[in-house]
Amino acid sequence: SIFVPVVVTLALSTFTIWFSCGVLGFYPSTWAVTDAFSFSLLFGISVLVIACPCALGLATPTAVMVGTGVAANNGILIKGGDALE
């Protein structure tokens, strides 16, 4: 419950820091082939792509388990995870 929000927060802070550095001109213009927004978005998405496969690999089975448990409490029996997909 902590890993995914931390990764998303790190990605947003990476985007924010690189964007503000680009707007304020703290890095050379030769680094960015596009505007500061696209350049910053590239770094933010890179953080998500590198960190989130592990986070999604942990979160998906947990969500399926919780969904199956909630359904069982409401009287709905689900045979497997394929039905939820």
Side-chain angles (χ1 to χ4, degrees):
S1 67
I2 292 177
F3 186 73
V4 175
V6 167
V7 168
V8 171
T9 304
L10 282 174
L12 288 174
S13 61
T14 300
F15 169 78
T16 305
I17 290 169
W18 276 100
F19 183 70
S20 58
C21 287
V23 169
L24 297 174
F26 286 155
Y27 58 81
S29 61
T30 57
W31 284 10
V33 292
T34 60
D35 59 335
F37 179 78
S38 299
F39 189 63
S40 306
L41 192 62
L42 180 70
F43 283 104
I45 290 175
S46 296
V47 170
L48 282 177
V49 167
I50 291 170
C52 269
C54 180
L56 293 177
L58 296 172
T60 303
T62 305
V64 169
M65 231 168 56
V66 169
T68 305
V70 170
N73 285 338
N74 291 323
I76 301 170
L77 296 178
I78 299 171
K79 189 170 185 177
D82 294 335
L84 293 176
E85 291 177 5

